[in-house]
Amino acid sequence: MTEPLRLAVVGHTNVGKTSFLRTLMRDAAFGEVSSRASTTRHVEGASLQIEGQPALELFDTPGLEDAMSLLDYLEQLRRPGERCDGPALLTEFLRGTEAQHRFAQETKVLRRLLASDAGLYVIDARESVLPKYLDESQILSLCGKPLFPVLNFVASSDNRAEEWREAMARRGLHALLSFDSVAPPVDGEKRLYQSLALMLPDAGPTLERLIVDREAQAAARRRSACRLIAELLIDVAALRQRVAAEPEAVEQAVGAMRRRVREREQQCTDALLRLYGFRQEDAVTGELPLADGRWQDDLFHPETLKQLGVRVGGGLAAGTAAGAGLDLMVGGITLGAGTILGGLAGGVSRAGRQFSVRLLGKLRGARQLSVDDAILAALALRQRQLLRALEARGHAAQQPVSLNAPKDDWLRGKLPPPLATARAHPEWSSLDERPDLEQANRQAQVGALAEEIKGSVD
């Protein structure tokens, strides 16, 4: 088996080393990220694997804190007239007592870099180029290992990337890598590994295999995410609930169905967050916010539909009113049914809530609630927006996901055929009392809808 490439992630304290690793590992829980200095006190390791075998080992190291004093001390260790290379000088330093006491933090970093194949020197590109950073790069270069500066937070508008490139070039470090652990570009990780492959030829084949594997994982995640959303939509589209003819019973059933739909959407949201390696608290604010992992804007509120650009009163929601979301199937056109519908509409309106009642069928004696097309459209758009936000989010981000609710051209007009088909199959809903989720036709419709969602996200 080929030995994995070992990379030490080094740099000043609080420049985003752990954040950088979180994004590469796609693990928001790796290490500790804080605005406090010296958050990482010990070396922590992690690995990226291909088919269960480690391909790349990454080591998070403590932050360098006193490089200027250490560089002065190292110069004092040089005997007059003696010429020794950097590794030899550092070996002498590491044998001394100062390495264990005064410079204990820096010692951990140097030992790890000396034991690695190369170092990734993480720089906060928003910071000014200060003498202490230049001294750090000089000390790290003494290890005799390839050292690649990584400009972090380059997506920030106040970055000083050009100043850093010039400063590193004067130190002989011309091969800089740009990355942003908070808002990484779609191909950011790929470009990082490609750059390393060019500069570490022996590791090139391993890094190329890693690129292919990571792209395959990303594609698999997206397929799984689209299927999660398709399952949600099929569940809600197929949902039917029988209800007695009395207005009070209908109103109670409406409230119960709304709760069930909200809970089912929350299940999908939680599953997407887990799939992409995020926590519930990573999605809490925005114009369509999540509070404590839950959508703060009511899915059934007219303003939610308006923000999503879902048309009510035409197109998808033809025949419904703003604030709607539940349809009533009533068997036959009778005076009794008309009285019930009128009493329901009047009673709910007086309570300050809006419901829409729509005649969907004339099956004798059938009284069933179903979810309106407009709500299905809102569910689809909200979950698709969340998916896009998670794919663009770095695992080092401290601010929660923000969804800006752009106008969306997807789901304009009729519902996709799989959802229209699901309307006639209440047994396809996991919310049904006796669901039949393994039915071949249901699985085929879920698959077809997942492909349509995937195509709309690409």
Side-chain angles (χ1 to χ4, degrees), residues 153-284:
F153 306 120
V154 291
S156 175
S157 59
D158 59 350
N159 77 77
R160 301 170 182 268
E162 289 305 318
E163 296 176 27
W164 277 105
R165 289 189 179 92
E166 183 179 346
M168 291 296 99
R170 288 201 297 268
R171 295 275 168 166
L173 299 172
H174 298 274
L176 267 73
L177 308 173
S178 292
F179 196 81
D180 195 288
S181 54
V182 173
V186 174
D187 62 343
E189 186 178 2
K190 178 180 179 179
R191 288 192 282 108
L192 175 69
Y193 297 143
Q194 286 176 332
S195 298
L196 285 173
L198 290 174
M199 295 178 281
L200 299 170
D202 291 345
T206 296
L207 289 167
E208 289 299 327
R209 288 177 58 227
L210 185 61
I211 290 171
V212 172
D213 184 73
R214 300 292 274 183
E215 288 181 336
Q217 289 184 37
R221 263 194 311 277
R222 174 173 283 193
R223 287 194 300 271
S224 296
C226 292
R227 189 168 184 91
L228 284 170
I229 297 172
E231 290 274 4
L232 163 68
L233 297 177
I234 292 291
D235 275 350
V236 176
L239 180 59
R240 291 281 184 272
Q241 182 173 340
R242 286 188 174 276
V243 60
E246 293 78 13
E248 295 79 6
V250 174
E251 184 174 352
Q252 290 177 5
V254 164
M257 183 174 277
R258 287 188 172 187
R259 286 192 296 273
R260 293 167 72 189
V261 172
R262 291 188 187 103
E263 289 170 359
R264 182 62 184 86
E265 184 190 19
Q266 187 60 46
Q267 291 174 9
C268 185
T269 297
D270 293 344
L272 287 174
L273 288 168
R274 287 193 300 271
L275 178 63
Y276 281 86
F278 293 104
R279 302 158 298 191
Q280 274 199 342
E281 58 266 30
D282 287 324
V284 288

Side-chain angles (χ1 to χ4, degrees), residues 234 418 421-422 425 427-428 436-448:
I234 292 291
T421 302
H425 293 275
E427 74 279 6
W428 287 5
D436 183 3
L437 306 184
E438 300 305 319
Q439 194 176 122
N441 193 16
R442 179 188 186 276
Q443 294 298 317
Q445 297 302 325
V446 168

